[in-house]
Amino acid sequence: AQTVTQSQPEMSVQEAETVTLSCTYDTSESDYYLFWYKQPPSRQMILVIRQEAYKQQNATENRFSVNFQKAAKSFSLKISDSQLGDAAMYFCAYRSAEEYGNKLVFGAGTILRVKS
Amino acid sequence: KAGVTQTPRYLIKTRGQQVTLSCSPISGHRSVSWYQQTPGQGLQFLFEYFSETQRNKGNFPGRFSGRQFSNSRSEMNVSTLELGDSALYLCASSRDRGFSMNTEAFFGQGTRLTVV
């Protein structure tokens, strides 16, 4: 079974600064997808960024980028130029590409606080 | 385009009762997955429905069940409620099942269930 670990329960960042959220995962599969979701106080999970394991290039979406290290099974999220609206709970998630279906395995989450 | 709609948003039930939660997926989406979110256990996969059939199930007791209708709307039912069932229940819809990255999951705002 796959597991996802987020070792930082809480992080703080100053507005306009950069912060990195950590995520490691364990799997015996070679093909899979990794995601970062944001859950603001409204509770709705919003997809921030996604990465396909067979792609070496790190995904980027505007101020959000990932550092994907497949051998180390590490998938960290970097948020540049942090904004107050980035404050939320962030979840790292895994989805198999070898098993048919849409099941996501989530980490415990990291609360991100943004200070003005 | 309307998002994933979950009803009700909040629910208070008494131990021993049963409850039904509803999820209307995005139009055209055929896969619906359910997750339970608690402070202690985090986000855990309950089950996935596709074409009115349960395709995958998480590690939950038989008191948790669900179904999907021909219009892809889904309901989940919890019988004989326990205090530990208090949680945020999230529903996610995807266009299809499969190996493609494009089967992105879109989440609803959840139903907050409190068992007293």
Side-chain angles (χ1 to χ4, degrees), chain A residues 5-85:
Chain A
T5 302
Q6 292 179 249
S7 58
Q8 305 154 316
E10 194 169 323
M11 293 284 283
S12 288
V13 63
Q14 202 70 32
E15 206 176 355
E17 298 288 301
T18 296
V19 64
T20 298
L21 308 184
S22 301
C23 172
T24 58
Y25 57 94
D26 189 30
T27 184
S28 57
E29 297 177 338
S30 58
D31 201 11
Y32 48 86
Y33 305 112
L34 295 165
F35 306 86
W36 278 98
Y37 280 90
K38 168 185 176 181
Q39 187 179 41
S42 68
R43 307 181 325 209
Q44 183 151 22
M45 299 278 277
I46 301 162
L47 180 64
V48 173
I49 198 165
R50 54 191 173 192
Q51 175 81 40
E52 298 169 68
Y54 66 86
K55 285 190 176 176
Q56 302 243 340
Q57 188 173 2
N58 289 324
T60 301
E61 286 285 342
N62 302 313
R63 299 182 294 107
F64 299 88
S65 62
V66 298
N67 183 4
F68 173 50
Q69 303 287 330
K70 191 172 184 179
K73 294 181 183 172
S74 170
F75 182 61
S76 61
L77 174 69
K78 185 171 90 170
I79 306 174
S80 305
D81 185 25
S82 296
Q83 301 175 359
L84 294 176

Side-chain angles (χ1 to χ4, degrees), chain B residues 52-70:
Chain B
E52 302 176 63
T53 303
Q54 187 180 92
R55 304 292 179 157
N56 202 349
K57 190 177 192 311
N59 189 23
F60 279 82
R63 299 185 298 106
F64 291 81
S65 63
R67 58 178 175 167
Q68 187 179 36
F69 301 95
S70 57

Side-chain angles (χ1 to χ4, degrees), chain A residues 33-35 37 39 42-47 50-52 89 91 95-108, chain B residues 4 9-10 31 33 35 37 43 45 48 56 88 90 94 96-105 107-112:
Chain A
Y33 305 112
L34 295 165
F35 306 86
Y37 280 90
Q39 187 179 41
S42 68
R43 307 181 325 209
Q44 183 151 22
M45 299 278 277
I46 301 162
L47 180 64
R50 54 191 173 192
Q51 175 81 40
E52 298 169 68
M89 177 83 99
F91 291 95
R95 197 188 108 207
S96 170
E98 297 180 10
E99 206 178 281
Y100 207 59
N102 295 324
K103 175 185 172 181
L104 290 165
V105 177
F106 287 92
Chain B
V4 179
R9 293 288 307 277
Y10 301 90
S31 168
S33 298
Y35 295 84
Q37 185 176 13
L43 274 153
F45 172 78
E48 179 190 3
N56 202 349
L88 178 67
L90 290 167
S94 301
D96 211 332
R97 300 187 85 222
F99 303 108
S100 167
M101 167 62 79
N102 292 326
T103 52
E104 177 183 333
F107 284 81
Q109 288 189 280
T111 293
R112 171 77 66 189

Side-chain angles (χ1 to χ4, degrees), chain B residues 36-93:
Chain B
Q36 181 195 64
Q37 185 176 13
T38 60
Q41 300 297 317
L43 274 153
Q44 293 186 284
F45 172 78
L46 278 155
F47 26 64
E48 179 190 3
Y49 283 86
F50 182 81
S51 291
E52 302 176 63
T53 303
Q54 187 180 92
R55 304 292 179 157
N56 202 349
K57 190 177 192 311
N59 189 23
F60 279 82
R63 299 185 298 106
F64 291 81
S65 63
R67 58 178 175 167
Q68 187 179 36
F69 301 95
S70 57
N71 62 357
S72 295
R73 189 177 72 85
S74 176
E75 289 181 347
M76 68 162 278
N77 184 276
V78 188
S79 63
T80 320
L81 283 165
E82 299 177 0
L83 296 178
D85 296 333
S86 295
L88 178 67
Y89 290 88
L90 290 167
C91 163
S93 80

